[in-house]
Amino acid sequence: MTTVGSNRPVRLGFVGTGGRTVAELVELVHIPSARISALCDIDESRCTWAVEQLLERQPDAPGTDVVREQAPQTFTDVRDMLAAVDLDAVYISLPPFAHGDIDHAILDAGKAVFVEKPVAVTGSVGREIAAHIEELGVVSSVGYQSRYSSAVQKARAALEGVPLGLVIAVRIGGLPGGAWWRVQDRSGGMLIEQHTHGVDLMRLFAGEAEHVYASANTVLLRDVPDVDIADVNAATVRFRSGAVGVIANSCALEPGQERPSSMADWTVSLQIVGRGAVAEIGPRRSQVMFAGEVARQYSAEQDPNRLMNEAFVHAVQTGDR
């Protein structure tokens, strides 16, 4: 594994230029060691759109002037981008079904990779990508920004050494508009495409799972054209630590539909029951309540998305994972 060092910026390329790429670009222009060098999308006009969105949203950010003066090169084929631009790392922001060959081509070129979640629709494709990364030893990251939140990290520190018994992750929302999102073998549905953030936090607090029982069905959206995803999912999990988890989600709410406050508070990602402690965990705020004590409240001090990007760029620059 080679590192960039501190003598020059980290040159970054981007494959796929949708909303998630824009979300990363608007953070990266605040990181002095990051350089936005190339954008790639099968629709090249989307590359132009992404740059326009960046300039509109962050006109005065430190790195925005660099983008104006040295516009990123644009491509419609990832192999052309890799051949033409000397990149240090590539952000891969593709619909879940599109992962596979593109990821392997980037890895074969020896580039560090930042992969937006989910890594793939199927476990087999995800494991192949993970094995390739392990074989080459390149720096890699997946876009699970919630774990970078100081509200999450401080709550985790407060629970250090506390035996955890029950970890619950629930997400209830509506149906996104993208056509690919509504097809199970293209998006994986809510559990894989969205609620994977909740699963990531479950793993952060409770460790790895050893047994899972799950059930899913299309019940509430059967009459919606071109929808075949499971609109309700539920699972019980037993972790290696002995803790038990519950995962539940649905994407069947109507647009603008009101819901109970317990379903509406998206700042809460997990509920935890431990020995002498209960907690609510979220990327914006968390609280931990120990028996006989006043609740400990934690708020995010910085945008976790910024922190995630800083950590990745630093790892590429220094090799410090």
Side-chain angles (χ1 to χ4, degrees), residues 28-231:
L28 288 163
V29 290
H30 291 274
I31 302 173
S33 54
R35 178 66 50 82
I36 300 165
S37 299
L39 301 171
C40 179
D41 197 289
I42 56 173
D43 179 356
E44 196 165 7
S45 68
R46 296 289 293 176
C47 299
T48 302
W49 172 85
V51 173
E52 290 172 348
Q53 289 294 305
L54 168 62
L55 297 178
E56 179 181 327
R57 298 184 193 185
Q58 296 291 331
D60 302 318
T64 303
D65 284 342
V66 177
V67 173
R68 290 192 186 98
E69 295 167 4
Q70 302 176 29
Q73 296 185 56
T74 61
F75 301 87
T76 57
D77 187 289
V78 65
R79 291 166 182 80
D80 292 341
M81 181 182 76
L82 293 169
V85 186
D86 184 14
L87 299 171
D88 300 304
V90 178
Y91 280 65
I92 306 172
S93 182
L94 300 170
F97 67 87
H99 285 286
D101 291 345
I102 291 174
D103 306 68
H104 291 298
I106 294 167
L107 291 168
D108 283 335
K111 309 305 179 185
V113 290
F114 180 102
V115 186
E116 296 288 359
K117 61 78 199 163
V119 175
V121 172
T122 66
S124 59
V125 173
R127 285 189 289 271
E128 288 171 359
I129 294 170
H132 200 172
I133 290 170
E134 185 70 21
E135 175 189 352
L136 297 176
V138 299
V139 170
S140 65
S141 182
V142 179
Y144 289 118
Q145 64 267 34
S146 294
R147 61 168 51 214
Y148 290 85
S149 165
S150 58
V152 171
Q153 291 295 335
K154 288 180 179 180
R156 187 181 182 218
L159 291 168
E160 183 72 28
V162 175
L164 303 185
L166 182 63
V167 183
I168 302 170
V170 177
R171 179 164 181 160
I172 309 296
L175 183 65
W180 60 264
W181 203 98
R182 300 175 175 216
V183 180
Q184 188 70 28
D185 64 5
R186 294 176 77 77
S187 72
M190 176 174 265
L191 177 60
I192 291 176
E193 214 286 319
Q194 289 185 335
H195 206 200
T196 181
H197 284 294
V199 175
D200 179 61
L201 288 183
M202 293 180 87
R203 294 175 59 234
L204 181 67
F205 280 83
E208 298 301 332
E210 62 178 3
H211 295 292
V212 179
Y213 174 80
S215 186
N217 203 357
T218 306
V219 179
L220 304 174
L221 301 178
R222 290 176 179 172
D223 60 337
V224 178
D226 302 318
V227 169
D228 77 345
I229 57 171
D231 54 37

